[in-house]
């Protein structure tokens, strides 16, 4: 039930979900009396809240342009649908990333059972060893590497991101299709780390999985993922505003109809004619990673 609610909110109201989760965690951290608080919480939570709340305000402005039954309603609907992540990206990348963070924060709240310190992102003794801490975002390269992978996976899951990046330094309205393909494959491929981490820890630490390093490593990846989602929805909302406010003739095909080609969408399916079948096999293989990632979370 919880998984279903998260998936629905991820698709329908991502700004609301992100704003509520990030603001709630930030307030809980701020009012805590603990003397050891993770700097990562004061970095990622404000970033997530600011960009998700900013996206919500932009969305409100965008949808106002369709109020009153004016002639822009069809255009607004077309842009809105085109900027939404694909069903595969929502189900296999974005929803499980948010779910992973929520699950790990629930795990952090089991203070008495696991001897955790939630404000410090301390998951308690690793594998039951009191001399081996299980803390996320320690000052080491691996921590930042995990975070960056999560950010890339979720950020590139948004079609506006791939669409804008694929048109940089390009005068034509059409995107570089190869870049759209690269962005989609990368979004799914970068979910490999939490999947690998899950399989590795279930094989090596099956009896102590709940106290294994899957917790801190997964938290680092998920925090980066949440920041990527927040920035992704903001870029999407900002791009919608730019397109909707452009002169109408720039949003039309040669026959006068509203043209998808005029918009900075990043869904490969919109340009499927330019994607060879071999490339589609690689996209399918990348999505398979996402399927396994989803199964590892739920």
């Amino acid at each position: 039930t919880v998984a279903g609610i998260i998936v629905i909110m991820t698709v329908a109201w991502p700004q609301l979900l992100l704003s509520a989760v990030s603001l709630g965690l930030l307030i809980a951290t701020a009012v805590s009396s603990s003397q050891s608080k993770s700097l990562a919480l004061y970095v990622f939570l404000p970033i997530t809240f600011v960009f998700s709340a900013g996206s919500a305000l932009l969305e409100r402005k965008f949808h106002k342009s369709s109020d009153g039954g004016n002639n822009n309603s069809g255009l607004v609907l077309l842009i809105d649908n085109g900027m939404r992540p694909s069903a595969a990206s929502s189900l296999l990348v974005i929803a499980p990333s948010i779910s992973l963070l929520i699950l790990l924060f629930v795990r952090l709240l089991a203070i008495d059972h696991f001897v955790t310190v939630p404000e410090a992102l301390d998951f308690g003794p690793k594998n039951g060893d009191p001399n081996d801490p299980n803390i996320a975002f320690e000052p080491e390269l691996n921590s930042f590497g995990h975070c960056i992978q999560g950010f890339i996976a979720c950020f590139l899951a948004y079609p506006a991101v791939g669409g804008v990046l694929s048109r940089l330094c390009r005068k034509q309205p059409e995107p570089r299709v190869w870049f759209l393909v690269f962005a989609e494959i990368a979004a799914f491929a970068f979910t490999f780390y939490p999947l690998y981490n899950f399989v590795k820890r279930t094989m090596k630490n099956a009896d102590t999985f709940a106290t294994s390093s899957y917790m801190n490593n997964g938290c680092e990846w998920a925090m980066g993922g949440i920041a990527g989602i927040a920035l992704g929805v903001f870029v999407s909302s900002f791009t919608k505003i730019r397109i909707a406010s452009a002169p109408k003739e720039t949003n039309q095909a040669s026959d006068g109809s509203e043209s998808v080609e005029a918009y900075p969408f990043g869904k490969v399916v919109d340009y499927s004619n330019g994607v060879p079948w071999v490339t589609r096999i690689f996209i399918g293989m990348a999505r398979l990673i996402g399927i396994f990632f989803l199964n590892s979370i739920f």
Side-chain angles (χ1 to χ4, degrees), residues 159-168 170-181 260-268 270-272 274:
V161 175
V164 170
L165 292 177
S166 67
R167 288 169 169 83
L168 290 178
R170 189 178 178 87
K171 295 181 179 180
Q172 293 86 353
E174 295 80 12
R176 295 175 176 86
V177 177
W178 65 266
F179 189 92
L180 299 183
V181 172
V260 171
E261 298 292 333
Y263 308 140
F265 296 168
K267 294 179 182 176
V268 175
D270 292 337
Y271 309 96
S272 57

Side-chain angles (χ1 to χ4, degrees), residues 145-211:
H146 302 155
C147 179
I148 290 172
Q149 290 179 62
F151 176 85
I152 293 175
C154 294
F155 187 53
L156 291 180
Y158 286 85
V161 175
V164 170
L165 292 177
S166 67
R167 288 169 169 83
L168 290 178
C169 303
R170 189 178 178 87
K171 295 181 179 180
Q172 293 86 353
E174 295 80 12
R176 295 175 176 86
V177 177
W178 65 266
F179 189 92
L180 299 183
V181 172
F182 169 79
E184 179 157 341
I185 291 177
F188 293 108
F190 276 101
T191 64
F192 178 77
Y193 176 74
L195 170 62
Y196 155 79
N197 195 25
F198 174 79
V199 173
K200 178 180 178 181
R201 297 308 162 192
T202 52
M203 293 179 65
K204 293 184 64 175
N205 310 106
D207 295 335
T208 57
F209 178 81
T211 58

Side-chain angles (χ1 to χ4, degrees), residues 22-247:
S22 58
L23 183 60
L25 292 175
L26 185 59
I27 292 174
T29 302
V31 301
S32 170
S33 59
S34 175
Q35 298 300 314
S36 56
K37 298 181 181 180
S38 174
L39 178 61
L41 291 174
Y42 286 109
V43 173
F44 287 100
L45 294 180
I47 288 175
T48 301
F49 176 74
V50 168
F51 280 111
S52 56
S55 174
L57 293 175
L58 290 175
E59 285 290 324
R60 185 171 182 272
K61 179 181 178 181
F62 171 73
H63 286 287
K64 265 190 172 183
S65 62
S66 63
D67 291 343
N70 57 35
N71 294 330
N72 287 333
S73 58
L75 174 62
V76 167
L77 181 61
L78 179 63
I79 299 173
D80 193 38
N81 290 336
M83 290 294 176
R84 290 182 180 274
S86 65
S89 295
S90 295
L91 182 63
L92 305 180
V93 179
I94 300 173
S97 299
I98 297 176
S99 301
L100 176 60
L101 185 68
I102 293 175
L103 288 171
L104 291 175
F105 269 93
V106 171
R107 160 67 171 76
L108 273 172
L109 294 177
I111 299 174
D112 294 334
H113 188 76
F114 292 108
V115 195
T116 65
V117 183
E119 303 87 345
L121 296 181
D122 184 351
F123 288 86
K126 187 184 298 181
N127 298 318
D129 185 355
N131 297 317
D132 191 5
N134 197 355
I135 304 174
F137 287 102
E138 291 190 296
E140 56 186 30
L141 186 60
N142 281 343
S143 294
F144 295 102
H146 302 155
C147 179
I148 290 172
Q149 290 179 62
F151 176 85
I152 293 175
C154 294
F155 187 53
L156 291 180
Y158 286 85
V161 175
V164 170
L165 292 177
S166 67
R167 288 169 169 83
L168 290 178
C169 303
R170 189 178 178 87
K171 295 181 179 180
Q172 293 86 353
E174 295 80 12
R176 295 175 176 86
V177 177
W178 65 266
F179 189 92
L180 299 183
V181 172
F182 169 79
E184 179 157 341
I185 291 177
F188 293 108
F190 276 101
T191 64
F192 178 77
Y193 176 74
L195 170 62
Y196 155 79
N197 195 25
F198 174 79
V199 173
K200 178 180 178 181
R201 297 308 162 192
T202 52
M203 293 179 65
K204 293 184 64 175
N205 310 106
D207 295 335
T208 57
F209 178 81
T211 58
S212 69
S213 59
Y214 175 83
M215 304 302 148
N216 73 79
N217 293 339
C219 182
E220 292 161 356
W221 190 95
M223 291 286 280
I226 292 299
I229 293 172
L231 190 55
V233 296
F234 182 82
V235 171
S236 299
S237 301
F238 180 77
T239 307
K240 288 179 185 180
I241 294 291
R242 287 196 60 187
I243 294 173
S245 61

